[in-house]
Amino acid sequence: MDIRDYQSQFEQMSLDELWALYTDVDQILAARIVAKKQELDRPLQQLHQTNGPGGSSELNVRASSSGRDRL
């Protein structure tokens, strides 16, 4: 479908139809964002569980060395 086909479809829609489409798209995108955030948070949670507070991890080493660079 060409972009002009979509444009003519939108132009033919009522304000209520456009609002319903907007809310549908908004809900779909919000759900995708939540799912992606959860997907990205899993590895971070695993890192925190594995290395725990005070553990010697590469993240802790990088954080402390980058802090020294700022002094």
Side-chain angles (χ1 to χ4, degrees):
M1 236 182 186
D2 189 42
I3 189 73
R4 290 176 291 243
D5 295 330
Y6 288 111
Q7 184 176 357
S8 66
Q9 285 180 351
F10 290 137
E11 289 172 353
Q12 294 172 7
M13 294 174 99
S14 71
L15 188 58
D16 289 338
E17 291 172 317
L18 287 170
W19 185 255
L21 178 63
Y22 167 80
T23 56
D24 288 347
V25 170
D26 184 56
Q27 289 174 357
I28 291 168
L29 293 177
R32 286 183 183 180
I33 289 170
V34 168
K36 189 64 171 181
K37 184 179 182 315
Q38 289 173 345
E39 177 186 331
L40 293 172
D41 281 345
R42 273 187 227 115
L44 289 174
Q45 290 172 352
Q46 290 174 349
L47 277 174
H48 287 124
Q49 289 173 356
T50 303
N51 297 317
S56 59
S57 71
E58 187 176 335
L59 284 176
N60 289 337
V61 171
R62 284 184 182 172
S64 63
S65 67
S66 64
R68 284 183 289 205
D69 295 341
R70 289 184 228 164
L71 294 177

